Amino acid sequence: MAAFASAAVVWLLALVSIASATDFKKCKIGTPPLNTTLGNCDKYPCNLVRGTNISGGVDFVYAKDLTVLKPELTVFVNGLPIKWPINQKDGCASLTLNKCPIKAGTRARFEYSLFLGPRTPLVQPLIRFELKSARGETMICSEIPARIIPKKKFHSKMFESSD
């Protein structure tokens, strides 16, 4: 009976994780994650409100042992890559599921946050999230089309009535 209860809890956690995931595109490099989250978005393009904190995460399994994780966020605007600073520099310190060293074939979750400044241009970037090795090799990668929107537009849409 205890084994059944444990299996039910694991199944429920997996279902919640999948239900809140954001659609993403596979990169041409690296291994795609199991799922990824970006704010409260579930379908792209994701609306990101400037002047707010944005959080996200990546669930992944990698084929090799991992001892170092270097997170990198790049936005592409009209094809031009721009590095986007995130608050987490050491990927191992930001794992919420598992810890480094991560054994090959085991699941891990990396979580991050960033501040989208109030003067961020209103553009529609492609956001690429990567977890890299100590040598800079891309291990895990996903891409999410987004749309930067002003704070006023976001709040007015939240409170519109559907009369």
Side-chain angles (χ1 to χ4, degrees):
M1 186 68 166
F4 175 75
S6 295
V9 167
V10 168
W11 181 81
L12 181 61
L13 288 174
L15 185 61
V16 167
S17 170
I18 291 169
S20 62
T22 303
D23 284 345
F24 66 89
K25 294 181 174 188
K26 292 180 182 179
C27 300
K28 293 179 182 175
I29 55 173
T31 301
L34 299 172
N35 66 56
T36 187
T37 57
L38 180 63
N40 294 325
C41 178
D42 58 359
K43 290 187 225 172
Y44 55 77
C46 293
N47 286 334
L48 303 178
V49 182
R50 66 180 180 181
T52 63
N53 286 307
I54 298 170
S55 60
V58 178
D59 289 289
F60 64 93
V61 173
Y62 196 62
K64 299 177 186 175
D65 289 356
L66 300 173
T67 56
V68 173
L69 294 174
K70 292 184 176 183
E72 190 172 287
L73 198 65
T74 307
V75 296
F76 294 85
V77 179
N78 295 327
L80 299 172
I82 302 166
K83 298 293 180 204
W84 200 349
I86 57 175
N87 295 333
Q88 294 71 22
K89 304 294 182 217
D90 176 5
C92 289
S94 298
L95 292 174
T96 58
L97 176 64
N98 214 325
K99 61 183 179 178
C100 289
I102 302 168
K103 295 289 183 197
T106 61
R107 187 174 181 149
R109 178 166 179 81
F110 170 81
E111 292 189 356
Y112 63 93
S113 65
L114 57 97
F115 178 70
L116 191 58
R119 293 185 179 178
T120 302
L122 300 175
V123 294
Q124 294 185 5
L126 175 68
I127 299 172
R128 178 184 290 163
F129 179 80
E130 299 172 80
L131 286 173
K132 295 187 170 194
S133 69
R135 296 185 311 254
E137 172 191 8
T138 298
M139 299 176 296
I140 307 296
C141 186
S142 62
E143 295 179 336
I144 301 173
R147 184 173 32 222
I148 310 299
I149 62 173
K151 207 170 195 175
K152 291 177 188 175
K153 183 176 180 180
F154 175 72
H155 287 296
S156 66
K157 288 224 181 253
M158 281 181 53
F159 299 108
E160 285 179 359
S161 64
S162 55
D163 294 332

PDB file of all heavy atoms in Angstrom, residues 131-148:
ATOM      1  N   LEU A 131      22.103  25.274 -20.773  1.00  0.00           N
ATOM      2  CA  LEU A 131      22.952  24.863 -19.667  1.00  0.00           C
ATOM      3  C   LEU A 131      24.222  24.335 -20.317  1.00  0.00           C
ATOM      4  O   LEU A 131      24.172  23.436 -21.157  1.00  0.00           O
ATOM      5  CB  LEU A 131      22.285  23.780 -18.811  1.00  0.00           C
ATOM      6  CG  LEU A 131      21.159  24.264 -17.912  1.00  0.00           C
ATOM      7  CD1 LEU A 131      20.468  23.088 -17.234  1.00  0.00           C
ATOM      8  CD2 LEU A 131      21.668  25.251 -16.865  1.00  0.00           C
ATOM      9  N   LYS A 132      25.368  24.933 -19.926  1.00  0.00           N
ATOM     10  CA  LYS A 132      26.633  24.602 -20.558  1.00  0.00           C
ATOM     11  C   LYS A 132      27.579  23.910 -19.586  1.00  0.00           C
ATOM     12  O   LYS A 132      27.452  24.048 -18.374  1.00  0.00           O
ATOM     13  CB  LYS A 132      27.290  25.870 -21.113  1.00  0.00           C
ATOM     14  CG  LYS A 132      26.489  26.496 -22.239  1.00  0.00           C
ATOM     15  CD  LYS A 132      27.235  27.636 -22.870  1.00  0.00           C
ATOM     16  CE  LYS A 132      26.528  28.073 -24.148  1.00  0.00           C
ATOM     17  NZ  LYS A 132      27.373  28.934 -24.958  1.00  0.00           N
ATOM     18  N   SER A 133      28.559  23.200 -20.165  1.00  0.00           N
ATOM     19  CA  SER A 133      29.589  22.534 -19.381  1.00  0.00           C
ATOM     20  C   SER A 133      30.675  23.545 -19.000  1.00  0.00           C
ATOM     21  O   SER A 133      30.654  24.695 -19.434  1.00  0.00           O
ATOM     22  CB  SER A 133      30.215  21.408 -20.210  1.00  0.00           C
ATOM     23  OG  SER A 133      30.968  21.964 -21.284  1.00  0.00           O
ATOM     24  N   ALA A 134      31.647  23.097 -18.224  1.00  0.00           N
ATOM     25  CA  ALA A 134      32.768  23.961 -17.839  1.00  0.00           C
ATOM     26  C   ALA A 134      33.541  24.431 -19.072  1.00  0.00           C
ATOM     27  O   ALA A 134      34.117  25.512 -19.075  1.00  0.00           O
ATOM     28  CB  ALA A 134      33.698  23.210 -16.884  1.00  0.00           C
ATOM     29  N   ARG A 135      33.541  23.633 -20.152  1.00  0.00           N
ATOM     30  CA  ARG A 135      34.242  23.990 -21.394  1.00  0.00           C
ATOM     31  C   ARG A 135      33.392  24.851 -22.318  1.00  0.00           C
ATOM     32  O   ARG A 135      33.817  25.203 -23.408  1.00  0.00           O
ATOM     33  CB  ARG A 135      34.673  22.725 -22.137  1.00  0.00           C
ATOM     34  CG  ARG A 135      35.693  21.880 -21.387  1.00  0.00           C
ATOM     35  CD  ARG A 135      36.149  20.716 -22.237  1.00  0.00           C
ATOM     36  NE  ARG A 135      35.026  19.996 -22.807  1.00  0.00           N
ATOM     37  CZ  ARG A 135      34.590  18.811 -22.419  1.00  0.00           C
ATOM     38  NH1 ARG A 135      35.208  18.181 -21.443  1.00  0.00           N
ATOM     39  NH2 ARG A 135      33.565  18.234 -23.002  1.00  0.00           N
ATOM     40  N   GLY A 136      32.151  25.164 -21.915  1.00  0.00           N
ATOM     41  CA  GLY A 136      31.280  25.992 -22.741  1.00  0.00           C
ATOM     42  C   GLY A 136      30.450  25.211 -23.744  1.00  0.00           C
ATOM     43  O   GLY A 136      29.766  25.808 -24.573  1.00  0.00           O
ATOM     44  N   GLU A 137      30.475  23.903 -23.674  1.00  0.00           N
ATOM     45  CA  GLU A 137      29.674  23.055 -24.567  1.00  0.00           C
ATOM     46  C   GLU A 137      28.208  23.080 -24.131  1.00  0.00           C
ATOM     47  O   GLU A 137      27.902  22.911 -22.950  1.00  0.00           O
ATOM     48  CB  GLU A 137      30.208  21.623 -24.504  1.00  0.00           C
ATOM     49  CG  GLU A 137      29.373  20.602 -25.216  1.00  0.00           C
ATOM     50  CD  GLU A 137      29.786  19.168 -24.920  1.00  0.00           C
ATOM     51  OE1 GLU A 137      30.651  18.940 -24.032  1.00  0.00           O
ATOM     52  OE2 GLU A 137      29.247  18.270 -25.568  1.00  0.00           O
ATOM     53  N   THR A 138      27.297  23.304 -25.083  1.00  0.00           N
ATOM     54  CA  THR A 138      25.867  23.308 -24.771  1.00  0.00           C
ATOM     55  C   THR A 138      25.396  21.882 -24.508  1.00  0.00           C
ATOM     56  O   THR A 138      25.530  21.015 -25.357  1.00  0.00           O
ATOM     57  CB  THR A 138      25.052  23.927 -25.917  1.00  0.00           C
ATOM     58  OG1 THR A 138      25.470  25.281 -26.082  1.00  0.00           O
ATOM     59  CG2 THR A 138      23.561  23.886 -25.630  1.00  0.00           C
ATOM     60  N   MET A 139      24.843  21.658 -23.318  1.00  0.00           N
ATOM     61  CA  MET A 139      24.344  20.333 -22.957  1.00  0.00           C
ATOM     62  C   MET A 139      22.830  20.272 -23.088  1.00  0.00           C
ATOM     63  O   MET A 139      22.293  19.345 -23.676  1.00  0.00           O
ATOM     64  CB  MET A 139      24.791  19.990 -21.532  1.00  0.00           C
ATOM     65  CG  MET A 139      26.299  19.954 -21.404  1.00  0.00           C
ATOM     66  SD  MET A 139      26.854  19.662 -19.718  1.00  0.00           S
ATOM     67  CE  MET A 139      26.253  21.107 -18.886  1.00  0.00           C
ATOM     68  N   ILE A 140      22.129  21.254 -22.527  1.00  0.00           N
ATOM     69  CA  ILE A 140      20.667  21.321 -22.550  1.00  0.00           C
ATOM     70  C   ILE A 140      20.282  22.637 -23.217  1.00  0.00           C
ATOM     71  O   ILE A 140      20.872  23.675 -22.920  1.00  0.00           O
ATOM     72  CB  ILE A 140      20.083  21.274 -21.115  1.00  0.00           C
ATOM     73  CG1 ILE A 140      20.602  20.064 -20.329  1.00  0.00           C
ATOM     74  CG2 ILE A 140      18.558  21.323 -21.142  1.00  0.00           C
ATOM     75  CD1 ILE A 140      20.183  18.710 -20.893  1.00  0.00           C
ATOM     76  N   CYS A 141      19.281  22.613 -24.104  1.00  0.00           N
ATOM     77  CA  CYS A 141      18.922  23.834 -24.806  1.00  0.00           C
ATOM     78  C   CYS A 141      17.449  23.828 -25.202  1.00  0.00           C
ATOM     79  O   CYS A 141      16.926  22.804 -25.658  1.00  0.00           O
ATOM     80  CB  CYS A 141      19.786  23.980 -26.057  1.00  0.00           C
ATOM     81  SG  CYS A 141      19.545  25.543 -26.935  1.00  0.00           S
ATOM     82  N   SER A 142      16.787  24.985 -25.032  1.00  0.00           N
ATOM     83  CA  SER A 142      15.416  25.169 -25.508  1.00  0.00           C
ATOM     84  C   SER A 142      15.255  26.613 -25.966  1.00  0.00           C
ATOM     85  O   SER A 142      15.986  27.502 -25.534  1.00  0.00           O
ATOM     86  CB  SER A 142      14.389  24.837 -24.413  1.00  0.00           C
ATOM     87  OG  SER A 142      14.530  25.697 -23.310  1.00  0.00           O
ATOM     88  N   GLU A 143      14.290  26.833 -26.858  1.00  0.00           N
ATOM     89  CA  GLU A 143      14.013  28.172 -27.371  1.00  0.00           C
ATOM     90  C   GLU A 143      12.527  28.467 -27.247  1.00  0.00           C
ATOM     91  O   GLU A 143      11.694  27.588 -27.499  1.00  0.00           O
ATOM     92  CB  GLU A 143      14.434  28.279 -28.842  1.00  0.00           C
ATOM     93  CG  GLU A 143      15.922  28.134 -29.054  1.00  0.00           C
ATOM     94  CD  GLU A 143      16.344  28.206 -30.507  1.00  0.00           C
ATOM     95  OE1 GLU A 143      15.517  27.928 -31.407  1.00  0.00           O
ATOM     96  OE2 GLU A 143      17.521  28.538 -30.750  1.00  0.00           O
ATOM     97  N   ILE A 144      12.221  29.709 -26.865  1.00  0.00           N
ATOM     98  CA  ILE A 144      10.830  30.117 -26.676  1.00  0.00           C
ATOM     99  C   ILE A 144      10.609  31.469 -27.341  1.00  0.00           C
ATOM    100  O   ILE A 144      11.256  32.454 -26.978  1.00  0.00           O
ATOM    101  CB  ILE A 144      10.467  30.220 -25.176  1.00  0.00           C
ATOM    102  CG1 ILE A 144      10.685  28.879 -24.482  1.00  0.00           C
ATOM    103  CG2 ILE A 144       9.027  30.700 -25.005  1.00  0.00           C
ATOM    104  CD1 ILE A 144      10.520  28.927 -22.980  1.00  0.00           C
ATOM    105  N   PRO A 145       9.718  31.552 -28.318  1.00  0.00           N
ATOM    106  CA  PRO A 145       9.350  32.857 -28.872  1.00  0.00           C
ATOM    107  C   PRO A 145       8.594  33.662 -27.808  1.00  0.00           C
ATOM    108  O   PRO A 145       7.768  33.109 -27.075  1.00  0.00           O
ATOM    109  CB  PRO A 145       8.428  32.511 -30.044  1.00  0.00           C
ATOM    110  CG  PRO A 145       8.762  31.089 -30.379  1.00  0.00           C
ATOM    111  CD  PRO A 145       9.122  30.451 -29.071  1.00  0.00           C
ATOM    112  N   ALA A 146       8.885  34.949 -27.729  1.00  0.00           N
ATOM    113  CA  ALA A 146       8.261  35.797 -26.703  1.00  0.00           C
ATOM    114  C   ALA A 146       7.844  37.128 -27.302  1.00  0.00           C
ATOM    115  O   ALA A 146       8.184  37.462 -28.434  1.00  0.00           O
ATOM    116  CB  ALA A 146       9.231  36.010 -25.545  1.00  0.00           C
ATOM    117  N   ARG A 147       7.110  37.876 -26.494  1.00  0.00           N
ATOM    118  CA  ARG A 147       6.669  39.217 -26.870  1.00  0.00           C
ATOM    119  C   ARG A 147       6.788  40.069 -25.608  1.00  0.00           C
ATOM    120  O   ARG A 147       6.182  39.750 -24.578  1.00  0.00           O
ATOM    121  CB  ARG A 147       5.218  39.132 -27.352  1.00  0.00           C
ATOM    122  CG  ARG A 147       4.637  40.388 -27.867  1.00  0.00           C
ATOM    123  CD  ARG A 147       3.251  40.198 -28.481  1.00  0.00           C
ATOM    124  NE  ARG A 147       2.466  39.148 -27.867  1.00  0.00           N
ATOM    125  CZ  ARG A 147       1.719  38.269 -28.554  1.00  0.00           C
ATOM    126  NH1 ARG A 147       1.660  38.310 -29.853  1.00  0.00           N
ATOM    127  NH2 ARG A 147       1.019  37.366 -27.928  1.00  0.00           N
ATOM    128  N   ILE A 148       7.598  41.143 -25.685  1.00  0.00           N
ATOM    129  CA  ILE A 148       7.744  42.049 -24.548  1.00  0.00           C
ATOM    130  C   ILE A 148       6.600  43.054 -24.633  1.00  0.00           C
ATOM    131  O   ILE A 148       6.404  43.701 -25.663  1.00  0.00           O
ATOM    132  CB  ILE A 148       9.093  42.800 -24.578  1.00  0.00           C
ATOM    133  CG1 ILE A 148      10.269  41.836 -24.779  1.00  0.00           C
ATOM    134  CG2 ILE A 148       9.257  43.647 -23.318  1.00  0.00           C
ATOM    135  CD1 ILE A 148      10.450  40.798 -23.713  1.00  0.00           C
TER     136      ILE A 148
END
